[in-house]
Amino acid sequence: MRKKQNLIKKIVSGLNERLSRCDLCPRECGVDRIHGERGICSAGNDILIYSNFLHKGEEPVISGSGGSGTIFFSGCPLRCVYCQNYKFSHFPNGEKNTIEDVADKMIRLQTDGAHNINLVTPTHYLPYILKALDNAFDRGLNLPIVYNTSGYEKRDIIELLDGIIDVYLPDMKYIDSDVSKKYSKAEDYFLRCSESLKEMQRQVSRTVMDSDGMMKRGLIVRHLVLPGCADKSVKIINWLSANLTDFKVSLMCQFQPYFTARDYPEINRRVSPEEYDIVVNEMIKLDIDGWAQDYDTDEDLAGIYL
Ligand code: SF4
């Protein structure tokens, strides 16, 4: 892990300085987080973690039999109106952690049998997380690092992670700016996401699996089908097929009108089986490797079949 630690040392102080006029994500709030100001993501100068555990419900190549060592960070720059994690993504709910605490959690997850360290919505805490990784590498952390993100990222930030992140697990939520503006107040979502995904693909150009079928290196793009948006999902699947080279897609149908989605009548329902089938069939038609959630289950498990 010495190579990763050297890369971290090169970038971490610059990232830390950026906290004083925070521009870590496309929101570019410019707030002084070093002195406790909070931006749209709700993060200030402390690390809030909502939960950490061995996650058995991620994609099979991420969860495996032992589980993915998942750390859910509180806060989020994107803040979708339908977020199922709204209790800690829209609100600063969670326990305060020091950098050493975060490193402890990583080491404990490894000791407990995790296949990887799965950083969920990490970007607004990136300088702190990199310091924690450096600390944990010193103490023997040797698992693949998974960057699990909404896809609303700045390309220059993703570029800095070259050689540090092993598996990228981004969403591609929207392709139309009117939809991303309406549900996430992010008119530039597709522009930011598409640029970032291309950079992720450049970094992890080739999927690498271990002998147990776990992903050691690669790119998995998640897409949650929204009610009434199957046509847009088809466009996304086609964009991925045309613009990425070695990737997997994890298609999801678990949308429920959480949080304030009920204020938007057109999405105040589940996706229908017919809508979902349209998108699954497009994946099959384009011969895209990956998984699709089972429509007829109450469990929010990723990567069921395809
Ligand atoms: S990380 Fe948070 S504070 Fe920084 S620019 Fe993004 S939303 Fe604003």
Side-chain angles (χ1 to χ4, degrees):
M1 293 299 148
R2 185 54 58 192
K3 190 173 160 213
K4 285 190 180 188
Q5 289 181 280
N6 288 339
L7 290 169
I8 288 172
K9 285 180 174 68
K10 270 189 198 158
I11 63 171
V12 76
S13 66
L15 281 168
N16 209 56
E17 280 170 23
R18 290 171 73 161
L19 288 172
S20 62
R21 292 180 307 281
C22 190
D23 69 344
L24 294 185
C25 84
R27 299 293 188 192
E28 298 188 336
C29 302
V31 295
D32 182 358
R33 288 180 48 191
I34 301 282
H35 292 98
E37 290 181 8
R38 294 179 188 274
I40 289 173
C41 61
S42 83
N45 195 29
D46 38 38
I47 314 165
L48 285 188
I49 290 178
Y50 186 73
S51 62
N52 61 280
F53 60 100
L54 291 174
H55 197 331
K56 303 278 179 85
E58 301 282 56
E59 288 75 6
V61 297
I62 300 293
S63 276
S65 56
S68 176
T70 305
I71 303 177
F72 279 95
F73 293 94
S74 300
C76 175
L78 192 57
R79 303 162 68 88
C80 308
V81 299
Y82 51 82
C83 181
Q84 69 172 26
N85 295 332
Y86 67 93
K87 286 180 188 161
F88 59 91
S89 62
H90 282 252
F91 304 102
N93 288 324
E95 277 189 7
K96 277 189 192 177
N97 285 255
T98 64
I99 285 161
E100 289 71 28
D101 293 335
V102 181
D104 286 348
K105 286 179 166 55
M106 293 171 174
I107 294 294
R108 199 169 320 125
L109 287 164
Q110 175 169 280
T111 305
D112 290 346
H115 294 288
N116 44 59
I117 297 298
N118 183 350
L119 307 166
V120 184
T121 325
T123 304
H124 51 297
Y125 288 124
L126 192 53
Y128 311 90
I129 290 171
L130 291 175
K131 289 178 197 170
L133 280 171
D134 188 29
N135 179 315
F137 289 146
D138 269 341
R139 294 158 58 190
L141 181 70
N142 59 11
L143 296 175
I145 307 302
V146 179
Y147 206 77
N148 184 336
T149 159
S150 71
Y152 193 45
E153 300 288 350
K154 292 172 74 167
R155 184 184 179 119
D156 74 290
I157 294 286
I158 299 299
E159 283 171 356
L160 294 174
L161 300 177
D162 190 5
I164 299 170
I165 300 302
D166 302 287
V167 176
Y168 283 105
L169 185 51
D171 296 334
M172 182 173 263
K173 291 175 180 292
Y174 309 110
I175 196 161
D176 283 8
S177 57
D178 54 343
V179 184
S180 61
K181 184 179 178 186
K182 188 172 192 182
Y183 300 135
S184 299
K185 292 195 177 74
E187 205 168 356
D188 60 345
Y189 177 89
F190 177 69
L191 175 69
R192 299 297 197 166
C193 182
S194 56
E195 284 181 347
S196 297
L197 261 62
K198 285 180 186 171
E199 170 59 17
M200 292 173 190
Q201 180 73 92
R202 188 195 67 73
Q203 290 177 27
V204 292
S205 53
R206 199 169 55 78
T207 303
V208 178
M209 310 292 284
D210 70 13
S211 54
D212 295 325
M214 301 303 298
M215 188 176 275
K216 302 279 282 181
R217 183 175 173 83
L219 170 63
I220 300 172
V221 183
R222 285 179 170 165
H223 176 64
L224 175 69
V225 182
L226 298 179
C229 292
D231 58 330
K232 295 169 180 63
S233 295
V234 165
K235 279 201 230 169
I236 286 174
I237 297 299
N238 277 270
W239 185 91
L240 296 171
S241 174
N243 289 278
L244 302 179
T245 49
D246 187 351
F247 66 104
K248 297 181 188 301
V249 167
S250 178
L251 192 66
M252 314 189 107
C253 59
Q254 70 189 47
F255 178 91
Q256 300 275 357
Y258 292 106
F259 197 43
T260 58
R262 69 178 74 88
D263 297 337
Y264 301 78
E266 73 282 4
I267 58 166
N268 191 18
R269 64 171 174 88
R270 277 198 73 184
V271 169
S272 70
E274 292 77 21
E275 288 173 312
Y276 189 54
D277 279 350
I278 289 170
V279 191
V280 172
N281 289 335
E282 192 70 11
M283 268 182 74
I284 293 168
K285 189 179 97 184
L286 294 174
D287 198 21
I288 291 179
D289 193 14
W291 310 268
Q293 278 183 320
D294 183 358
Y295 188 86
D296 296 316
T297 178
D298 292 334
E299 291 187 88
D300 291 345
L301 300 174
I304 303 300
Y305 69 86
L306 198 69

